[in-house]
């Protein structure tokens, strides 16, 4: 029986892996420009971290975690998201004690959620995310959103929309919670069993129920924005002011509550509006999580961040017809005719690679004609041909594939010949 990849996962093959490298490189470069530095945390954590961090009444914790017991009897979980682990590391290494506040971090790596796989939804997916810890300044919120938008724009996405909301502080959330309970209580039996349980445990979660999304009670539910206290309202006004100042268009959606429990004040998502890009339209999600550091055992300290998935980013780029590098093409292919020439080819290829060129040769005993075809398939810019005559003279025949033009180049000058040519092309 042939093996198949597990459901909801994917292999990234050459031709695609270059696209991944490219988008990650652009995102990393922008993070560094904004002053964010990379953090790498383990792929699994103690299960308790996510119960506390993400919240034990969320769908992620209740339905979607890959949790297992290791041979030492510990309850471990493949990370479903990156914020709780980053905050755990922040607290564990006492990074809050550093004079460099806020501490601005980014990460990139696989996350795991047992979700129903569909377009843009995977069980293993890669999140690129940032977390800024130690600042409660609304300008920080604007910076984080600007960075996310900048990444998409730098990659060439045009049809994206920034959607924002505020959940307010603890007081505002409490007032809203009571209003939600009043709203849903009388007719809760019309909603699914999960929502009935949520009414007791976490009424806000009713608003992001996937099953009851279109129920009439959802559209008429009390809006959090009507329950913001003065302080929360003022904070939200400042965030909007900074976004406007930066020229970042946004829309407000009072129903944007997000699926994780740690949020307060600003929440946001970036959606794709590209045609035919339906179900997985949310490219990026984030928000403020003042209180999470304390929840995980650190001092009281504000934080804000976002995460985007590379899978959805690539799908959005494709939907908008943006071309990305595929890694195809080499500088030169060394074709050899005969045993002696083969020996020379092995030496030459290594020498040219050492000189910084992308070079290849035949390893499966092809005839000269087949070697030239192979060079074509590899999209070689040049082919170096060597046979007995070239060996005797120590001069290679070099063919430029695009023009068909042939030149004779002494072996010793091949490296500089190509370095010169490829540099000129790159300019
Ligand atoms: P999240 O909304 O759960 O937030 O996930 C963020 C992004 O990850 C989503 O917008 C989506 O692009 C992607 N994503 C989520 N689930 C899947 C999936 N099954 N397949 C493909 N992509 C997926 C968080 O994870 C928060 N930790 C974000 C954050 C960081 N908030 C503050 N800091």
């Amino acid at each position: 029986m042939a093996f198949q990849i597990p459901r909801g996962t994917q292999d990234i093959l050459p031709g695609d892996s270059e696209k991944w490298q490219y988008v990650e490189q652009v995102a990393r470069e922008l993070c560094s420009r904004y002053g964010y530095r990379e953090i790498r945390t383990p792929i699994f954590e103690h299960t308790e971290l996510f119960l506390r961090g993400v919240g034990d009444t969320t769908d992620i914790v209740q339905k979607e975690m890959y949790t297992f017991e290791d041979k030492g009897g510990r309850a471990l979980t493949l990370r479903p998201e990156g914020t709780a682990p980053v905050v755990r590391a922040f607290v564990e290494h006492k990074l809050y004690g550093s004079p460099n506040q806020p501490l601005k971090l980014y990460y990139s790596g696989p996350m795991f959620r047992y979700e129903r796989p569909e377009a843009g939804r995977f069980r293993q997916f890669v999140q690129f995310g940032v977390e800024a810890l130690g600042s409660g300044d609304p300008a920080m919120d604007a910076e984080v959103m600007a960075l996310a938008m900048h990444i998409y724009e730098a990659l060439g996405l045009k049809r994206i929309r920034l959607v924002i909301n505020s959940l307010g502080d603890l007081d505002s959330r409490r007032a809203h919670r009571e209003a939600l309970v009043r709203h849903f209580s009388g007719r809760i039996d019309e909603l699914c069993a999960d929502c009935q349980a949520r009414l007791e445990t976490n009424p806000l979660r009713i608003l992001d129920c996937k099953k009851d999304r279109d129920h009439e009670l959802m559209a008429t539910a009390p809006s959090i924005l009507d329950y913001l206290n003065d302080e929360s309202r003022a904070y939200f006004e400042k965030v909007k002011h900074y976004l406007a100042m930066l020229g970042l268009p946004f829309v407000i959606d009072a129903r944007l509550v997000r699926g994780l429990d740690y949020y307060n004040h600003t929440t946001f998502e970036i959606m794709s509006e590209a045609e035919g890009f339906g179900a997985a339209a949310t490219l990026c999600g984030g928000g403020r999580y003042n209180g999470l550091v304390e929840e995980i055992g650190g001092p009281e300290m504000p934080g804000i961040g976002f995460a985007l998935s590379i899978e959805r980013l690539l799908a959005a780029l494709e939907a908008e017809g943006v071309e990305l590098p595929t890694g195809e093409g080499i500088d030169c292919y060394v074709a050899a005719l005969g045993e002696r020439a083969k020996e020379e080819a092995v030496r030459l290829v290594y020498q040219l690679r050492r000189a910084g060129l992308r070079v290849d040769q035949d390893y499966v005993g092809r005839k000269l004609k087949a070697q030239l075809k192979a060079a074509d398939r590899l999209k070689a810019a040049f082919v170096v041909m060597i046979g007995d005559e070239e060996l005797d003279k120590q001069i290679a025949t070099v063919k430029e594939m695009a023009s068909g033009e042939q030149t004779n180049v002494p072996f010793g000058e091949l490296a500089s010949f190509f370095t010169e040519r490829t540099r000129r092309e790159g300019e």
Side-chain angles (χ1 to χ4, degrees), residues 3-11 64 66 78 111-119 121-125:
F3 289 106
Q4 284 184 341
I5 197 169
R7 227 165 104 71
T9 67
Q10 58 176 349
D11 298 314
E64 298 172 0
Y66 281 91
L78 298 185
M111 306 290 161
F112 306 84
R113 294 185 194 175
Y114 190 78
E115 291 196 87
R116 198 166 53 81
E118 54 184 63
R121 179 167 293 135
F122 298 90
R123 288 182 173 169
Q124 175 175 334
F125 56 98

Side-chain angles (χ1 to χ4, degrees), residues 176-192 195-201 203-204 206-207 215 217-218 220-222:
H176 182 233
R177 180 192 165 108
E178 284 163 14
L180 286 172
V181 171
R182 279 196 301 278
H183 175 75
F184 286 110
S185 290
R187 293 170 62 189
I188 192 66
D189 50 346
E190 293 174 30
L191 301 186
C192 72
C195 281
Q196 295 179 17
R198 288 173 185 134
L199 187 68
E200 306 285 321
T201 56
L204 193 67
I206 296 178
L207 298 180
H215 193 286
L217 281 177
M218 295 293 186
T220 53

Side-chain angles (χ1 to χ4, degrees), residues 94-107:
K94 299 193 171 56
L95 300 180
Y96 49 76
S98 151
N100 281 331
Q101 302 297 338
L103 190 68
K104 305 202 283 189
L105 303 165
Y106 78 85
Y107 51 91

Side-chain angles (χ1 to χ4, degrees), residues 330-337 340-353 357-363 366-368 370-372 374-375 378 380-387 391 396-399 411 414 418:
I330 59 173
D331 297 319
C332 156
Y333 189 92
V334 180
L337 181 65
R340 274 174 63 220
K342 160 81 190 218
E343 292 254 311
E344 181 60 26
V346 170
R347 198 188 61 77
L348 254 182
V349 165
Y350 183 59
Q351 190 193 342
L352 293 174
R353 286 173 177 163
L357 295 152
R358 289 183 303 166
V359 187
D360 226 326
Q361 65 184 348
D362 173 62
Y363 287 110
R366 291 187 182 93
K367 301 263 187 316
L368 186 65
Q371 289 186 41
L372 297 179
L378 291 174
F382 294 91
V383 175
V384 172
M385 282 177 288
I386 34 180
L391 275 179
T397 307
V398 178
K399 182 177 174 187
F411 284 1
L414 278 168
F418 287 124

Side-chain angles (χ1 to χ4, degrees), residues 54 60 64 80-84 107 111-113 115-116 118 120-127 129-131 152 258-260 262-263 268-270 280 282-289 304-313:
V54 175
I60 293 182
E64 298 172 0
E81 63 103 47
T83 309
Y107 51 91
M111 306 290 161
F112 306 84
R113 294 185 194 175
E115 291 196 87
R116 198 166 53 81
E118 54 184 63
R121 179 167 293 135
F122 298 90
R123 288 182 173 169
Q124 175 175 334
F125 56 98
V126 174
Q127 272 189 353
V130 313
E131 311 295 346
Y152 289 126
R258 312 264 308 120
L260 303 94
Y262 45 63
Y263 292 115
F268 66 97
E269 288 188 350
I270 297 170
T282 304
L283 302 180
C284 170
R288 187 162 270 293
Y289 45 81
I304 179 165
F306 70 76
L308 59 88
S309 84
I310 308 277
E311 288 82 357
R312 290 187 189 181
L313 165 58

